[in-house]
Structure formats: C-alpha cells, structure tokens
Amino acid sequence: MSTDRDHSAKRDRLRKARTLNRSPEKVRDPMFATGDFFDPEDLLQVRYEMVRLVRLGGATLAQAAERFGVSRPTCFRMVKAFREGGLTALVPAQRGPRAPHKITPEIVKFARTCRQRHGRIGAKRLVPLIEAEFGVRIHPRGLEKALARAEKKTPEAGP
C-alpha cells in the first residue's frame, strides 16, 4: 500500500531524473488506469509502453499517440529513438540552453582587455561595463565561468 509520502518521494525522484510526465492526465491507456504498477507520471514508463505497443503491432502510431497523450510526431520520434538508442534514448534531454549563449567571444575578449588595462577587476564591476558596451545583461557568475573557460583554452606563454 503506497502512501502520499511515498508518492511524493517518487515524484521528486522522477523530477530529479527528468522523467516526470508533465501531463499524466493525457495518458488514456487502460494499463495506466489501475495505478498499481503502471504510473502515468513516470514518463520513461509511458514512453516505453507506447513504443512497445507500436513495435509489437498492437496499435498504429496514431492510435498509440492518442492512447498515451502525445502527438503523432512525438510518438514517431520515440519509436525511432528506441530503435536507434534503446531505453536510454527515451529519457528526455536536458531542457534549456546548453552553454552561455549571451557571453560571446567578443564579450570575453572585452572583459579580458579590461582586466589587462585596469588590473584584475571583478565580474561584478565588469557586468555594467559589458551592458553599456554591448547592451547585454549577464550574471557575474556566468561571466566568471566564461572567463575561467577562456583562460583554460589559452595556451600559456613559455619562458
């Protein structure tokens, strides 16, 4: 017998693993109605069962998409992803930017030039200068990370 606390802990684990289904109410497959083993909030389980149903010939892509609450293109992508990458290919990719997209090489160069001219000024003092020069608002910590990455890439001058 599961408690609300167990359910909440599972939901937290699913969220942390990026496999919490944000639309469990759209899943209309009869297996997921019981709530015993099949959990409509477990996105990986929902995707796997959808793919399994299509691959075993139990439903067309359109039927499976309807039953599992996704679009036909999503269903098609999941079937293809599973075929090419197995179960791990059904885990959603991380959302959002993969790298600092505002901090361009020109901004890094500007910040490094400012530091060369004026000594080691901190990121908090550089951010307003960058905003004035480029019209871009950035976070000081993001700038610090970008500058640290740039320093790692720059070959050190020999003796």
Side-chain angles (χ1 to χ4, degrees), residues 47-149:
R47 286 180 172 182
Y48 176 75
E49 291 301 325
M50 177 180 65
V51 168
R52 190 175 73 81
L53 184 67
V54 171
R55 293 206 36 172
L56 293 176
T60 65
L61 282 170
Q63 291 167 338
E66 174 68 26
R67 282 171 63 173
F68 289 91
V70 298
S71 66
R72 285 191 314 256
T74 297
C75 185
F76 177 79
R77 275 196 320 274
M78 292 302 107
V79 170
K80 182 180 178 190
F82 183 79
R83 184 177 59 243
E84 294 174 357
L87 191 59
T88 57
L90 298 180
V91 177
Q94 188 170 355
R95 299 170 63 92
R98 306 300 186 267
H101 56 284
K102 289 184 184 178
I103 304 173
T104 63
E106 293 79 25
I107 290 176
V108 171
K109 183 179 178 184
F110 176 81
R112 291 175 87 184
T113 302
C114 285
R115 282 186 169 177
Q116 287 172 351
R117 288 185 185 152
H118 307 291
R120 186 141 177 96
I121 38 180
K124 285 184 180 180
R125 288 184 53 203
L126 285 170
V127 165
L129 299 174
I130 290 169
E131 186 174 353
E133 182 73 20
F134 296 95
V136 176
R137 295 187 92 174
I138 58 175
H139 194 276
R141 184 65 186 129
L143 179 60
E144 288 170 1
K145 289 179 179 180
L147 289 170
R149 277 192 301 277

